[in-house]
Amino acid sequence: MSSLLPFFPSPPSEFATIALVSSYLLVIVVLAEGLNRLSHTTAEFTRKIVHIGSGNVILFAWWLQIPLWIGLGASFVASLVALVSYFVPILPSLNSVGRQSLGTFFYALSIGLLVAGFFPQLPYYGVIGVLVMAWGDGLAALVGQRWGKHKYRIWGNGKSWEGSLTMLGVSFAVTLAVLIGVYGNNGILWVVAGLVAIAATVLESFSNFGLDNLTVPLGSAGLCFYLMSWWGMSL
């Protein structure tokens, strides 16, 4: 399996991997829940903390070269927790009761699908899909809510140009950084990153009911893989 950064001379044990990833996710959830319950931080802001923070777990999967069963098992557990939290207010930082979105569930599901589709042979495409969603969509939502003054609507889905431009820029930067880390700098990679960023922004704009948490990561990873294959650079 390719690795972006050689942090580990050899893969750690499965127990150590599970412990590290679980500890990281627990810290993210506890931090978000603490802010949600003990401060005036909005539920939407704490959801984005979990959204961005949990997405980074895909980097652990890559760097630690986790076995496939761990990635799929973690996705299943996260999907189950997201569904339960949607109906029962156990974790407001994930979902609020009555919020008409299964986005957190789709997010966990998309990670599992990308792990199943690209790990262990081509993990970086899965990484691109998840990080585009985690950082691109997460920061776009925060920017749009805080500074989004120029609104537009698509199929009843309210967005802002400020948020969409953030999505475009962050998606481009994330995709390009991963590709350069794997292949080295190449002009083709800039074109691929640009096309992936445009596609991710369009998918994020059109999706309702949290479906962007499924369409954006799968679409970004799939398009990146297709374009790199078309240019003979997928391996």
Side-chain angles (χ1 to χ4, degrees):
M1 180 186 297
S2 298
S3 178
L4 180 62
L5 295 174
F7 288 140
F8 305 96
S10 62
S13 68
E14 292 181 356
F15 176 80
T17 298
I18 294 174
L20 179 60
V21 172
S22 299
S23 298
Y24 170 77
L25 291 175
L26 181 62
V27 168
I28 294 297
V29 173
V30 169
L31 173 63
E33 282 298 306
L35 289 174
N36 184 271
R37 297 174 186 273
L38 302 176
S39 72
H40 298 294
T41 305
T42 65
E44 187 62 27
F45 180 79
T46 57
R47 276 193 290 271
K48 293 307 175 184
I49 291 178
V50 176
H51 180 93
I52 295 174
S54 61
N56 293 331
V57 77
I58 197 68
L59 292 172
F60 286 100
W62 186 10
W63 295 338
L64 297 176
Q65 302 182 25
I66 66 168
L68 185 61
W69 72 268
I70 294 180
L72 296 180
S75 173
F76 174 78
V77 172
S79 298
L80 184 61
V81 170
L83 279 177
V84 172
S85 184
Y86 177 77
F87 295 105
V88 182
I90 55 173
L91 293 173
S93 61
L94 294 181
N95 277 311
S96 297
V97 174
R99 187 171 184 257
Q100 297 302 308
S101 171
L102 287 171
T104 306
F105 167 73
F106 291 135
Y107 191 23
L109 178 62
S110 70
I111 293 177
L113 291 174
L114 289 173
V115 168
F118 291 108
F119 281 65
Q121 290 82 8
L122 302 169
Y124 30 90
Y125 293 114
V127 171
I128 287 171
V130 175
L131 293 186
V132 163
M133 188 64 218
W135 287 95
D137 178 77
L139 291 179
L142 293 176
V143 168
Q145 291 164 15
R146 178 64 178 84
W147 294 286
K149 300 183 182 301
H150 301 86
K151 307 291 186 179
Y152 68 93
R153 299 187 71 84
I154 298 180
W155 294 348
N157 199 19
K159 299 290 179 179
S160 72
W161 285 109
E162 291 83 357
S164 292
L165 288 174
T166 300
M167 177 72 182
L168 182 69
V170 174
S171 298
F172 174 79
V174 164
T175 304
L176 184 62
V178 174
L179 290 177
I180 287 178
V182 174
Y183 295 100
N185 200 359
N186 186 308
I188 292 176
L189 305 184
W190 291 71
V191 176
V192 171
L195 293 174
V196 169
I198 292 171
T201 304
V202 171
L203 288 171
E204 194 272 338
S205 298
F206 276 82
S207 299
N208 287 314
F209 310 113
L211 275 172
D212 56 330
N213 285 345
L214 190 63
T215 60
V216 169
L218 297 184
S220 300
L223 178 61
C224 190
F225 173 73
Y226 172 79
L227 292 173
M228 293 297 287
S229 298
W230 191 70
W231 266 300
M233 299 179 62
S234 64
L235 299 178

